[in-house]
Amino acid sequence: GYNSSDVAISVIYAFHPARVLEEGIEVLHHAPENAAPSLANGYHFRPPFGWMNDPNGFGRFGGLAHLFYQHYPHSLRWNTMHWGHAVSKDYLRWKHLPVFLFPSAELSERADGRGGAFSGSAIPVAGQGGEAIRIFFTEQMRDRKPEEQIQLSALCSDELSTQTPAIILPERPEGLGLTQDFRDPYVFKGPDSVWKMLLGSRDKAGGVVLLYETSDPQGANGWVFLGPLHREDRYGMTAAECPCMVPLGAVDAAQTRWALIFGLLTSRDPATGRRNMTSATVGRFDGRNFQPELEQELDFGSDAYAFQAFVDGDEPVGIAWLANWTDVSKREDFPTAMTLPRRVLWNGEAVLTPPVESAEGLRQSLLDDRRLAGGDRLEFENGAIEIELDLSVAGGPFELLFEHPEVDLGLRLGADGLEILFDRRNGKTSPRYLAAGARPSHLRIFLDAGSIEVFADNGRWTGTKRLPDFAEMRAARLSAAEGVVLSARVWQLKL
Ligand code: FRU
């Protein structure tokens, strides 16, 4: 039984597919509880209704950026997974499209009401009369029964719906000691111009990323297992989730490094107490073997999980779920959002993830532009703002504390690095959101009603934290020693 909104969408789509794609659709919330406006992020992508987690199938097809996502349309809790769908010209203004992928009827008869169409990816393929989209995803039959995770693929010729999915990998490779988890197919073109597929898995020691390839991504049977691409056991992680891989430079150049990005499920960093981190491992990749050279955390906050990127034109662009399984109970009602889309760049030493260039288009009006000294306050119209801080004038340690009646939020630059201060009132020992050793000279801080994102030195350090409710936040105060001066600009952002 689907809700009447789904029926309405299907009817609109059946009669006016071109219009749906062109204009998107106004969608009504299913139930008043789903609106939860005070907790909603204003300029971040969020689903029109229901629950959302990982970004899926992020790519450019037919000239538009498409974002699919893990979706449960009927409530604000995780449940049997669908794929939601939206399109954009600039990654920031999205049009919602009808629910794209439903858990297949045949498979869900065997399911116990959970599972569904899990995470995956999409690639452009030649279709009749233009470009078509081929998607890859995991169907999970029963919650946490890995032997029942299988990989499927489906063709989408009209950018709005899929043909019947076909099973492409019915089982895990044997003989590797893979104990659980076989999911989240990510398909991309390797440096040898052959289509590759990554899958997240685990063995007794930790996470394993598996590598497959095919000469025919359209065929159901062509996928050949090449072996484990990478193993990872940092921070007590149990599985690699949502792997993705992008070149940091020209795809076919021998010197190009690649970033392998994946979620460290159940990891915990003893130094900060943070969990479920996302790792970017940089190394050489010849299409078969990956030689890691450095490991870096993609985000020093807690809420940029299941990051997925693809190469758009010359440079990769990625987006992540603005949450983390540690904080989000599957049983709690929770309005979900995505992070700002980010570039994935390489400066010769580290991966940079600055916001996409079009994020400057969010700036509506310049509220403030001045030098800030200790004790000075910045005031805003509402909590949807960007603050740019230039620390090169007469920088030094500082704290910028946002004023909120219940929750502590701030940014601190100290001897040990750059830190998002969150909820440390009354001696609480929440994790530390610390970019250890960071000494940036330039910061962009994006606040929305439900999140803070900090981009330091063009995304050399990027930190994302989900907030309980900052819609009412109107001011911040600088605390710094005498002589410290920051140059600050504040923009009201378009909602
Ligand atoms: C990551 C994840 C994926 C899985 C999906 C299910 O957040 O656990 O591994 O495919 O969520 O919704």
Side-chain angles (χ1 to χ4, degrees):
Y2 291 117
N3 189 294
S4 54
S5 293
D6 294 324
V7 176
I9 293 164
S10 310
V11 170
I12 298 169
Y13 166 56
F15 292 103
H16 307 286
R19 204 181 131 196
V20 170
L21 198 60
E22 185 55 33
E23 296 174 11
I25 34 173
E26 295 280 332
V27 199
L28 298 173
H29 291 289
H30 279 199
E33 58 158 8
N34 281 19
S38 65
L39 285 172
N41 270 291
Y43 58 89
H44 286 79
F45 178 80
R46 56 199 160 107
F49 42 69
W51 162 273
M52 174 176 79
N53 54 289
D54 315 348
N56 296 154
F58 193 33
R60 183 173 290 278
F61 310 103
L64 290 176
H66 287 243
L67 176 64
F68 304 88
Y69 52 89
Q70 290 284 280
H71 187 35
Y72 187 66
H74 311 297
S75 81
L76 288 170
R77 299 170 199 202
W78 188 89
N79 206 309
T80 311
M81 282 289 110
H82 302 52
W83 277 29
H85 188 193
V87 287
S88 173
K89 289 185 179 143
D90 62 1
Y91 298 118
L92 293 165
R93 302 283 151 205
W94 295 95
K95 286 176 182 169
H96 293 296
L97 295 178
V99 172
F100 182 75
L101 191 59
F102 292 84
S104 92
E106 189 198 322
L107 293 170
S108 50
E109 258 171 41
R110 292 160 57 194
D112 65 356
R114 289 174 288 182
F118 271 25
S119 282
S121 57
I123 58 167
V125 290
Q128 283 168 351
E131 198 173 65
I133 307 173
R134 176 160 286 281
I135 63 158
F136 302 87
F137 65 103
T138 301
E139 184 86 35
Q140 164 111 6
M141 323 289 213
R142 271 174 244 270
D143 196 33
R144 307 224 64 84
K145 286 267 178 61
E147 66 275 19
E148 298 195 38
Q149 284 183 345
I150 58 175
Q151 317 311 321
L152 290 93
S153 178
L155 189 66
C156 161
S157 304
D158 61 1
E159 302 197 13
L160 288 167
S161 61
T162 67
Q163 294 166 11
T164 308
I167 295 173
I168 53 165
L169 293 175
E171 53 204 20
R172 289 173 291 165
E174 285 184 3
L176 285 171
L178 302 178
T179 51
Q180 252 196 340
D181 299 325
F182 176 55
R183 63 169 175 271
D184 309 340
Y186 175 80
V187 177
F188 65 110
K189 188 79 75 62
D192 48 6
S193 290
V194 179
W195 288 105
K196 313 284 171 182
M197 178 191 288
L198 304 180
L199 282 158
S201 188
R202 72 161 86 177
D203 63 14
K204 285 208 174 67
V208 185
V209 177
L210 305 170
L211 177 66
Y212 290 73
E213 72 172 23
T214 187
S215 55
D216 176 19
Q218 299 265 48
N221 302 318
W223 288 100
V224 177
F225 179 53
L226 297 180
L229 181 71
H230 187 66
R231 290 175 197 272
E232 185 64 69
D233 64 357
R234 276 181 300 155
Y235 304 128
M237 70 181 286
T238 52
E241 285 193 316
C242 299
C244 91
M245 201 166 189
V246 286
L248 302 168
V251 181
D252 48 3
Q255 289 314 305
T256 295
R257 288 182 172 81
W258 289 69
L260 171 63
I261 299 169
F262 54 92
L264 313 182
L265 184 67
T266 64
S267 57
R268 183 178 182 281
D269 177 359
T272 60
R274 289 168 49 235
R275 294 168 180 271
N276 287 352
M277 285 84 75
T278 298
S279 169
T281 307
V282 177
R284 310 281 179 174
F285 178 53
D286 63 6
R288 298 200 154 226
N289 297 298
F290 180 58
Q291 289 163 330
E293 292 173 352
L294 73 93
E295 273 162 349
Q296 179 186 328
E297 269 194 58
L298 203 63
D299 196 289
F300 66 92
S302 54
D303 297 299
Y305 197 65
F307 188 88
Q308 191 178 72
F310 74 102
V311 181
D312 187 16
D314 297 335
E315 278 168 353
V317 58
I319 193 166
W321 181 35
L322 211 170
N324 184 317
W325 291 115
T326 313
D327 296 335
V328 178
S329 156
K330 290 181 184 178
R331 285 163 293 279
E332 130 199 14
D333 283 353
F334 175 69
T336 42
M338 293 293 178
T339 64
L340 281 177
R342 298 156 185 194
R343 290 284 169 196
V344 186
L345 310 175
W346 172 246
N347 72 356
E349 286 167 11
V351 175
L352 317 183
T353 50
V356 285
E357 308 76 58
S358 53
E360 288 190 16
L362 288 171
R363 295 171 179 174
Q364 187 169 52
S365 55
L366 186 64
L367 297 179
D368 223 329
D369 185 356
R370 64 185 156 118
R371 302 260 158 126
L372 275 192
D376 286 350
R377 282 173 90 236
L378 289 170
E379 290 180 12
F380 330 116
E381 286 166 25
N382 65 38
I385 49 157
E386 178 190 344
I387 305 175
E388 187 182 18
L389 293 179
D390 183 347
L391 316 178
S392 64
V393 191
F398 73 87
E399 282 189 4
L400 185 70
L401 298 170
F402 293 91
E403 295 178 3
H404 191 276
E406 282 146 40
V407 190
D408 290 341
L409 177 71
L411 203 67
R412 180 182 144 270
L413 184 68
D416 53 352
L418 178 68
E419 184 169 5
I420 297 172
L421 304 173
F422 178 71
D423 209 12
R424 318 208 89 197
R425 205 169 281 192
N426 304 326
K428 273 199 194 162
T429 50
S430 64
R432 293 188 70 189
Y433 309 106
L434 173 71
R439 288 204 192 355
S441 60
H442 181 258
L443 300 177
R444 287 177 76 186
I445 305 160
F446 288 83
L447 269 151
D448 206 342
S451 62
I452 181 169
E453 282 161 290
V454 181
F455 299 94
D457 286 357
N458 198 33
R460 167 63 188 86
W461 296 279
T462 297
T464 310
K465 182 79 194 84
R466 178 169 77 88
L467 305 175
D469 182 0
F470 265 69
E472 296 306 313
M473 200 272 307
R474 295 280 182 279
R477 176 186 298 274
L478 185 75
S479 147
E482 216 176 314
V484 172
V485 180
L486 313 182
S487 154
R489 293 202 283 174
V490 182
W491 285 272
Q492 184 65 52
L493 300 184
K494 290 178 204 153
L495 288 177

